């Protein structure tokens, strides 16, 4: 079945550093979604991508829809402590949304 | 106020008791989902429903049951057959198999 993989599984970075994470799929997706989950809360949609090659920004966050349509990337510039959380990628499955396993981000002040 | 409401935020139950978690939405979305999340882990799909009076098992349906009698509501019952029910439960809705929107979650603790 359709499956998403995310790397890295976890990251520990210093405040102010840039962050890069990615999501890959064994099959083609026509939409890529990125969510952030803060501790004890539900995930919140950050960015949605709808076209191969698309680059979309939301403040310090930038996400790209890979040309092959089998991957997507999320970058966070100049990280701050409130960036802490789990970042999930997601895409449309045959009859349901498919979520990746997440990348856990810790920011050291 | 539009959105997804999960209640209660925290729930405590004795071992062996069934417990029902509520999820209500006023977004007029057809699809609704239930996920389980254990500490430091990802989202595991329990059940999902694409339309009223229909639902499908997810990856970890054993020990859980759902109903979808109304478009707005998708309650999840954690039965005594669930061996390790303590977890964070998340409900989500979507207009289709794309953007999903989540509730605030219910943290269930079984003692």
């Amino acid at each position: 079945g359709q499956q998403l993989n995310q790397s890295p599984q976890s990251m520990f970075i210093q405040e102010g550093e840039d962050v890069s994470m990615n999501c890959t799929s064994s099959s083609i997706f026509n939409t890529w979604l990125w969510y952030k989950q803060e501790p004890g809360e539900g995930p919140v949609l950050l960015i949605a991508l709808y076209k191969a090659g698309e680059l979309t920004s939301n403040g310090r966050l930038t996400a790209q829809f890979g040309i092959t349509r089998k991957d997507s990337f999320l970058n966070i510039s100049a990280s701050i402590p409130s960036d802490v959380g789990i970042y999930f990628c997601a895409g449309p499955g045959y009859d349901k949304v498919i979520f990746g396993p997440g990348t856990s981000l810790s920011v050291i002040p | 106020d539009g959105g997804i409401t999960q209640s209660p935020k925290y729930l405590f139950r004795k071992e062996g008791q069934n417990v029902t978690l509520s999820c209500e939405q006023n977004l007029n979305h057809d699809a609704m989902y239930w996920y389980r999340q254990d500490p430091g882990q990802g989202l595991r799909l329990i059940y999902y429903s694409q339309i009223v009076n229909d639902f499908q098992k997810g990856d970890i349906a054993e020990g859980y049951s759902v109903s979808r009698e109304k478009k707005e509501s998708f309650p999840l019952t954690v039965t005594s057959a669930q061996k390790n029910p303590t977890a964070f439960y998340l409900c989500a809705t979507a207009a289709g198999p794309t953007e999903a929107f989540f509730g605030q979650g219910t943290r269930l603790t079984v003692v």
Side-chain angles (χ1 to χ4, degrees):
Chain A
Q2 291 174 303
Q3 190 172 334
L4 295 175
N5 298 302
Q6 290 187 246
S7 64
Q9 184 176 356
S10 62
M11 305 177 73
F12 293 82
I13 62 168
Q14 290 286 142
E15 182 177 358
E17 289 183 357
D18 295 342
V19 174
S20 291
M21 60 186 77
N22 74 310
C23 181
T24 60
S25 168
S26 57
S27 56
I28 289 173
F29 277 70
N30 56 27
T31 300
W32 286 95
L33 310 169
W34 284 95
Y35 290 80
K36 178 189 177 185
Q37 183 184 29
E38 298 187 2
E41 302 294 329
V44 173
L45 182 63
L46 297 173
I47 293 177
L49 302 159
Y50 302 105
K51 193 166 63 174
E54 180 181 356
L55 191 70
T56 297
S57 294
N58 179 3
R60 292 178 297 105
L61 277 61
T62 300
Q64 184 164 21
F65 192 139
I67 289 293
T68 65
R69 296 169 63 190
K70 291 186 176 182
D71 57 11
S72 179
F73 307 89
L74 178 69
N75 296 315
I76 305 173
S77 63
S79 60
I80 59 178
S82 63
D83 289 333
V84 165
I86 302 176
Y87 291 80
F88 294 101
C89 64
Y94 173 70
D95 63 345
K96 61 183 180 292
V97 182
I98 307 293
F99 282 90
T103 291
S104 176
L105 177 63
S106 300
V107 179
I108 303 166
Chain B
D1 188 25
I4 305 159
T5 301
Q6 288 189 245
S7 60
K9 178 74 172 173
Y10 299 94
L11 190 55
F12 295 86
R13 278 294 182 270
K14 290 185 178 179
E15 191 173 345
Q17 289 183 335
N18 291 357
V19 59
T20 297
L21 281 59
S22 169
C23 180
E24 302 282 331
Q25 56 111 350
N26 60 6
L27 300 172
N28 200 35
H29 286 168
D30 286 317
M32 297 189 74
Y33 303 82
W34 274 107
Y35 295 91
R36 170 181 171 139
Q37 188 176 37
D38 292 291
Q41 302 300 309
L43 308 171
R44 291 193 289 170
L45 183 62
I46 305 173
Y47 270 98
Y48 63 107
S49 168
Q50 297 296 327
I51 197 169
V52 174
N53 292 322
D54 189 34
F55 48 82
Q56 287 76 41
K57 292 182 179 180
D59 301 317
I60 57 164
E62 185 175 351
Y64 300 96
S65 66
V66 293
S67 63
R68 186 83 187 276
E69 297 177 0
K70 299 186 300 182
K71 189 175 187 177
E72 300 80 14
S73 179
F74 191 40
L76 173 74
T77 296
V78 184
T79 75
S80 57
Q82 170 51 237
K83 298 305 178 189
N84 185 19
T86 294
F88 188 48
Y89 291 88
L90 285 159
C91 175
T93 73
T98 54
E99 294 95 334
F101 297 90
F102 286 84
Q104 291 300 297
T106 292
R107 186 168 300 281
L108 173 65
T109 302
V110 175
V111 297

